[in-house]
Structures are given as structure tokens and as C-alpha cells.
Amino acid sequence: MNWLAPWLKISFVSMVVLFSRIGQTTGPHDSPQPPAAETSSKPANCAAPEYRQFDFWSGDWDAFDVDNPTTKVARTQVDLILDRCVLRENYEGADGHNGQSFSIYDASRKVWHQSWVTNRGELLVLEGKFEAGEMVLSGVDHGRVGQPLVRGIWKPVEGGVRETAETSIDGGKTWTPWFDLVFRAHKP
């Protein structure tokens, strides 16, 4: 019996170690989970202030032509998605022209990027910067005759947001108004 006692002690200690390791893993091939302090020390995605520059446009809006502020031309819902990294616009025009845009700050190039697509097969890609309190994005409209440059300017105004758009057929030397909208909080 003397030979059995040490063997039982070793077996018991081995089982305690084995069962304590099983409680630390979540699966047969998983490693133990890091302590909570390690996971919370990672910086949040899109936490830099630049990512918040266009947040003023986020909301549920009715859009009106600045020259005709009583006739609604569209309903626009703009929300932050993908962990607040992307601004998504859903535009429903009163004339049936619908579209969506996705805007993101590209930290690698220090530029804002927007892709706009519509139910008419249109694609518009704009890029630019937030400057002097305005988001200014521009690009080439490949779908229009002459492929003009287009420029959109968004800025917060009292009671909403204003978006003006311009086109240029001379490489940006002169600009012609395209549209001028004001977004006000949606009223059901």
C-alpha cells in the first residue's frame, strides 16, 4: 500500500491542473482569453477627431430647394454605420430619383471619400476635405455629357444642413450652380 499513496497524490494533482486548464479555454483549440484590461486598452476604430467632421449631416431629413423652401423635394436619412466609421445616406427623391451614398474618412490619405449610386445606374465618386466649417468634395461626373467636374459643399446651418452643388466644364476655372438644398428635420 505504501507504493499506492504517492501515485494517488500525483494523480490527484494532475487532475486538478487538467480541470483548471479546461475552465480557462472556450474550445479544444482555443487559447485562454486575455484579461479584460488587455482587450479594453485597444483604441476604438475611427476614434480620431477627423472621423467626426461630417457627423453634422447625420439625421432624418426633409430636403427642400433653397429657392422653394416650402416644397419637399426628397427625404434623406443619414446614419452612422460600421462602428461609426461610415456615414450612409439614403435619398428618396419626390420625382422617383433614389440613391445612396457612403462617406468615409480615409486616414491613410487624409481625405474624405464619398461614393454615390442611384436607381438610374449613376455613379459619382467624390473626394475632398473639411475646411472652414464645410465639407467640400469634388470629382468628375463621368455619366454627364462633357464629363464635368462636380463639387458638393455641405455645411451646418440654423435648423439643419445646406448642400450646394456646382459643375465646371473648364477644369474648375469657373463654376455653375447645379442644385442648392437645405435639409431640415423630417416631419411625419
Side-chain angles (χ1 to χ4, degrees), residues 10-20:
I10 292 171
S11 296
F12 179 74
V13 171
S14 297
M15 286 180 21
V16 168
V17 170
L18 175 67
F19 285 116
S20 69

Side-chain angles (χ1 to χ4, degrees), residues 46-117:
C46 307
E50 292 83 4
Y51 287 96
R52 306 284 60 91
Q53 292 172 331
F54 211 176
D55 285 4
F56 65 85
W57 192 31
S58 181
D60 189 0
W61 308 103
D62 290 327
F64 301 86
D65 281 317
V66 168
D67 293 335
N68 189 3
T70 58
T71 303
K72 183 169 81 168
V73 296
R75 170 133 183 237
T76 304
Q77 295 166 300
V78 182
D79 57 342
L80 289 161
I81 62 170
L82 301 174
D83 296 331
R84 300 179 52 85
C85 291
V86 177
L87 206 59
R88 173 183 56 192
E89 169 195 17
N90 187 41
Y91 177 93
E92 297 174 0
D95 62 356
H97 191 202
N98 300 325
Q100 289 189 341
S101 73
F102 297 89
S103 302
I104 188 168
Y105 180 70
D106 181 354
S108 67
R109 297 183 301 136
K110 298 186 182 343
V111 67
W112 274 90
H113 172 90
Q114 182 181 91
S115 293
W116 162 258
V117 294

